[in-house]
């Protein structure tokens, strides 16, 4: 009989995973403790903007006309425990307030609530990004709490999806990593991932700590790559070089590659910043903090970018204060194709300038509602053109395609002054300059 799957926690990770598993042909039951999320998902809509996800939910959520009916949502732990052969734990692990370490309380609570209902054989699969050693601890907790005893097992299966590509990354992952303690667990996971495995996706079988580490190591590497090129931007700027050209030339070396070498205002979001901090905190606990002290530098290079952008903006406004200066900010989300504003460099810069007296007007194609909730005192405009109207300076801070397709000549007609700073090195400098703008970017000459 086909396996029945449950997904506990229906945020970015869980909602996408649940829909993708239904797409792969499984019957799936999702659980969340937030009733509004359950209500929304049950109508086939995602609680966040993620390209293709609403369509996938509508295709599978039970009760929607023409759907396969394979996907349902509930808030009952008894129901998921009874339903599932495999339970995917997709809880968030945010940074602890006032500390670098990761807050495991959502994961721990979910295990505590699920385990006492596990009266039949099941595989519990952790997908959250957790400090190494968590799986070991949670396996012991499961063994102590689950009535089915040894028939309930734990596996760790980190998720590498990128926001904005979550559906594609889940349906066609570039690798599947599983930390297991038995052949039975490995076999079950091979069955779950039969579709991507048939496409040739590499399947890496490891122990718990290695599986946990793959995820944090991958994010640490990506963050390091971005901070490396941003450090090169600092040097290029001081030496009169061009970091975009430098990155292009570096990328031709296949060992380095072109990806994640875009200099700008740096990384943000709900993953990279908190994951590298949690990794440092965990290394400290393990007595190997020196191994990861370089991540402190990666973090500070990254945070410096935001301050540097504010200084470039100040220079462009004549070097004085921001008082009374009108600034258009294009972008609020931490990256394009997402409405996520968590630790967004764009909003951080907008907020700093606002706090220094600047009149900031923000536009983002999808992130407006979330931005307003986080920074209600910033100004917001309904379109990019409206944000730019009357502005003394335009800051391009999230590289949406929509912004690259803007016509600088048209914007120039409504702008107060034609000054633009590209915080993402993504606009066509020649086009903007041709339309009469002074174009400035990070780590590049002024031309
Ligand atoms: C990341 C990891 O990529 C993903 O594998 C993991 O599962 C979760 O964390 P995500 O947070 O969606 O995914 O964003 P990512 O695409 O990695 O970008 C992170 C940040 O880096 C964004 O703010 C982006 O704008 C910035 N970035 C990315 C750069 O500044 N320069 C680059 O060259 C690439």
């Amino acid at each position: 009989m086909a396996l029945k799957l449950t997904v506990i926690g229906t945020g970015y990770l869980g909602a996408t995973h649940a829909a993708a598993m239904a797409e792969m042909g499984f019957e799936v039951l999702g659980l969340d403790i937030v009733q509004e999320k359950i209500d929304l998902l049950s109508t086939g809509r995602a609680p966040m903007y993620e390209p293709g996800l609403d369509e996938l939910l509508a295709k599978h959520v039970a009760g929607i006309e023409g759907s396969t009916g394979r996907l349902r949502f509930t808030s009952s732990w008894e129901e998921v425990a009874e339903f599932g052969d495999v339970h995917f734990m997709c809880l968030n692990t945010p940074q602890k307030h006032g500390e670098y370490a990761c807050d495991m309380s959502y994961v721990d609570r979910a295990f505590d609530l699920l385990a006492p209902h596990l009266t039949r054989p099941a595989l519990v699969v952790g997908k959250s990004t957790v400090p190494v050693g968590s799986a070991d601890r949670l396996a012991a907790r499961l063994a102590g709490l689950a009535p089915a005893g040894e028939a309930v097992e734990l596996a760790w299966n980190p998720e590498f999806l990128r926001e904005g590509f979550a559906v594609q990354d889940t349906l066609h992952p570039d690798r599947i990593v599983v930390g297991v303690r038995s052949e039975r667990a490995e076999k079950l996971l091979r069955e779950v991932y039969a579709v991507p495995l048939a496409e040739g996706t590499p399947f890496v079988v490891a122990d718990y700590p290695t599986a946990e580490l793959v995820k944090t190591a991958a994010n640490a590497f990506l963050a390091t790559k971005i901070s490396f090129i941003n450090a090169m931007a600092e040097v290029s700027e001081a030496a009169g070089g061009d970091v975009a050209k430098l990155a292009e030339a570096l990328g031709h070396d296949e060992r380095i590659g072109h990806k994640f070498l875009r200099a700008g205002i740096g990384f943000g979001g709900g993953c990279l910043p908190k994951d590298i901090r949690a990794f440092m905190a965990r290394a400290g606990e393990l007595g190997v903090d020196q191994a990861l002290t370089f991540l402190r530098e990666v973090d500070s290079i990254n945070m410096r970018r935001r301050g540097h952008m504010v200084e470039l903006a100040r220079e462009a406004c004549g070097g004085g204060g921001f008082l009374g200066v009108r600034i258009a900010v294009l972008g609020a989300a931490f990256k394009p194709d997402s409405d996520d504003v968590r630790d967004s460099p764009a909003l951080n810069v907008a907020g700093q300038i606002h706090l220094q007296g600047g009149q900031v007007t923000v536009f983002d194609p999808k992130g407006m509602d979330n931005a307003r909730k986080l920074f209600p005192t910033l100004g917001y405009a309904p379109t990019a053109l409206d944000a730019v109207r009357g502005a003394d300076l335009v800051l391009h801070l999230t590289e949406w395609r929509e912004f690259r397709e803007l016509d600088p000549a048209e914007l120039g007609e409504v702008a107060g002054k034609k000054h633009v700073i590209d915080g993402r090195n993504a606009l066509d400098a020649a086009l903007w300059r041709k339309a009469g703008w002074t174009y400035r970017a990070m780590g590049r000459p002024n031309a």
Side-chain angles (χ1 to χ4, degrees):
M1 230 180 53
L3 292 173
K4 287 184 173 174
L5 315 182
T6 84
V7 174
I8 316 283
T10 57
Y12 277 96
L13 168 57
T16 313
H17 190 68
M21 291 298 116
E23 174 73 6
M24 290 180 195
F26 295 101
E27 265 194 69
V28 184
L29 183 60
L31 176 143
D32 206 285
I33 52 169
V34 181
Q35 189 58 42
E36 294 92 82
K37 266 194 205 169
I38 294 296
D39 294 343
L40 196 65
L41 285 162
S42 300
T43 65
R45 281 174 299 157
M48 68 284 180
Y49 171 72
E50 188 59 51
L53 184 53
D54 278 351
E55 290 79 355
L56 203 61
L57 285 166
K59 187 173 167 192
H60 297 295
V61 169
I64 294 181
E65 207 187 310
S67 82
T68 63
R70 288 201 285 261
L71 177 55
R72 289 186 300 113
F73 295 92
T74 180
S75 52
S76 159
W77 294 94
E78 292 86 341
E79 195 183 345
V80 290
E82 198 173 309
F83 179 89
D85 301 300
V86 181
H87 304 282
F88 286 100
M89 309 302 276
C90 300
L91 295 308
N92 57 337
T93 50
Q95 187 176 340
K96 263 190 195 163
H97 198 69
E99 280 181 53
Y100 268 15
C102 135
D103 177 358
M104 283 293 287
S105 62
Y106 300 96
V107 175
D108 288 353
R109 190 174 50 186
F111 271 79
D112 285 352
L113 289 169
L114 175 68
H117 300 289
L118 295 174
T119 50
R120 69 180 185 87
L123 183 67
V124 178
V125 184
K127 285 196 83 66
S128 309
T129 303
V130 295
V132 59
S134 302
D136 202 28
R137 180 176 60 79
L138 290 164
R141 205 143 159 166
L142 260 187
L145 292 172
E150 283 180 4
V152 172
E153 245 194 278
L154 181 70
W156 214 264
N157 168 220
E159 177 56 57
F160 302 98
L161 67 79
R162 298 161 297 168
E163 288 182 21
F165 298 90
V167 170
Q168 188 195 322
D169 285 351
T170 310
L171 288 173
H172 310 285
D174 51 15
R175 80 287 215 188
I176 296 165
V177 178
V178 298
V180 291
R181 277 191 175 159
S182 74
E183 276 179 24
R184 174 176 161 260
E186 180 188 333
K187 198 175 146 276
L188 275 172
L189 285 164
R190 282 188 186 276
E191 216 175 311
V192 167
Y193 291 117
V195 174
L197 287 179
E199 286 174 2
T201 306
F203 189 76
V204 182
V205 182
D207 51 27
Y208 287 169
T210 309
E212 292 168 313
L213 278 172
V214 173
K215 174 61 195 254
T216 32
N219 276 359
F221 189 84
L222 294 172
T224 304
K225 207 169 173 193
I226 299 171
S227 277
F228 174 82
I229 202 63
N230 280 331
M232 295 305 112
E234 288 186 14
V235 178
S236 298
E237 216 165 284
D242 181 340
V243 73
K245 196 55 94 188
L246 175 71
E248 182 195 332
L250 284 176
H252 287 307
D253 183 330
E254 276 182 16
R255 294 167 302 174
I256 298 174
H258 288 285
K259 290 182 181 157
F260 271 64
L261 280 187
R262 191 195 294 278
I265 55 171
F267 59 81
C271 292
L272 296 193
K274 66 108 179 157
D275 286 351
I276 59 169
R277 292 174 195 152
F279 201 15
M280 283 186 267
R282 185 64 187 136
E285 286 168 9
L286 292 168
V288 287
D289 47 331
Q290 276 192 336
L292 297 188
T293 39
F294 75 95
L295 286 179
R296 212 178 298 158
E297 211 46 57
V298 165
D299 204 359
S300 28
I301 292 168
N302 189 53
M303 297 311 280
R304 261 203 315 270
R305 302 308 285 163
R306 304 170 182 194
H308 186 50
M309 185 69 208
V310 175
E311 291 321 308
L312 287 181
R314 193 192 310 284
E315 257 174 50
C317 297
F322 286 114
L323 218 57
V325 179
R326 283 173 295 181
I327 299 189
V329 167
L330 301 182
F334 85 102
K335 67 187 274 190
D337 298 311
S338 168
D339 65 355
D340 195 347
V341 299
R342 285 177 294 172
D343 200 5
S344 163
L347 268 190
N348 181 301
V349 168
Q352 286 193 52
I353 294 177
H354 167 72
L355 289 173
Q356 294 178 36
Q359 290 177 31
V360 179
T361 307
V362 179
F363 170 73
D364 188 279
K366 294 287 176 197
M368 298 291 269
D369 289 349
N370 288 339
R372 252 194 219 102
K373 275 182 226 151
L374 206 63
F375 281 94
T377 52
L378 292 176
Y380 293 92
T383 65
L385 197 71
D386 287 319
V388 170
R389 200 178 301 280
D392 302 302
L393 172 65
V394 176
L395 304 182
H396 173 245
L397 301 184
T398 311
E399 67 277 33
W400 286 91
R401 173 195 279 265
E402 176 175 333
F403 297 152
R404 287 199 297 282
E405 289 173 351
L406 286 170
D407 176 2
E410 193 186 338
L411 291 185
E413 279 168 25
V414 302
K417 290 182 186 147
K418 292 201 258 183
H419 294 309
V420 63
I421 307 180
D422 186 357
R424 291 296 186 181
N425 272 315
L427 300 176
D428 183 341
L431 197 69
W432 283 74
R433 286 184 178 134
K434 208 171 125 215
W437 290 78
T438 55
Y439 171 93
R440 177 119 202 239
M442 302 181 94
R444 297 172 80 179
N446 281 340

